[in-house]
Amino acid sequence: MTDRETIIDLYRQENRAMVAKDIETLSQILASTMVLHHMTGYAQPKLEWIDQIQNGELKYYSSDEEGISDIRIDGNYASLIGHNQVKASVWGSSVNTWQLQMKMEFAKVNGKWTITNQVASTY
């Protein structure tokens, strides 16, 4: 698999894993220092995000990909922008579907790509 294919695959794995509550996959594909920047501006560390998926504070019902763009690879660093329709209940809110844009950053360490940073917004 090329680097380009790998980072696209990681993006898709994350979206499937958060809906499936696949904590093992999320733990493997997210760097230990990964931070998710929510639309609210809250910068959530990896372990807190995974914990809130596991305990139901963040419930993802579906994530339907609409497109991936702006893929950039520079040595051991990469980024992309993904657009998904995400149906979720966040921190006790009612279930809504958001048009989410996710700016993702990746790093390759010892030959393995991981997700290092994410910034969520709407489009």
Side-chain angles (χ1 to χ4, degrees):
M1 197 180 291
T2 67
D3 286 342
R4 178 185 172 92
E5 290 168 335
T6 299
I7 64 168
I8 290 170
D9 185 56
L10 284 171
Y11 170 74
R12 290 176 175 158
Q13 281 185 59
E14 181 189 74
N15 285 301
R16 286 190 304 266
M18 67 187 202
V19 171
K21 287 185 163 183
D22 183 349
I23 303 311
E24 184 176 329
T25 295
L26 290 171
S27 296
Q28 292 173 3
I29 66 174
L30 301 173
S32 61
T33 58
M34 190 283 301
V35 174
L36 169 58
H37 302 266
H38 289 273
M39 291 185 297
T40 62
Y42 180 59
Q44 188 171 41
K46 169 188 173 173
L47 293 179
E48 182 181 299
W49 185 54
I50 288 174
D51 183 57
Q52 289 185 356
I53 291 171
Q54 191 170 26
N55 71 25
E57 289 180 65
L58 296 171
K59 293 180 186 175
Y60 298 99
Y61 297 98
S62 64
S63 180
D64 299 318
E65 184 179 308
E66 293 198 322
I68 298 172
S69 62
D70 203 24
I71 299 170
R72 298 175 187 211
I73 301 169
D74 184 14
N76 291 327
Y77 299 94
S79 63
L80 64 71
I81 297 174
H83 292 122
N84 282 43
Q85 294 283 330
V86 177
K87 184 176 181 180
S89 173
V90 178
W91 300 312
S93 71
S94 60
V95 177
N96 289 297
T97 300
W98 287 277
Q99 291 182 308
L100 282 187
Q101 173 175 284
M102 191 67 74
K103 293 182 180 179
M104 297 181 80
E105 296 174 0
F106 306 82
K108 186 194 262 185
V109 177
N110 297 323
K112 182 182 177 199
W113 286 101
T114 57
I115 300 165
T116 58
N117 192 56
Q118 304 182 73
V119 179
S121 60
T122 57
Y123 65 96

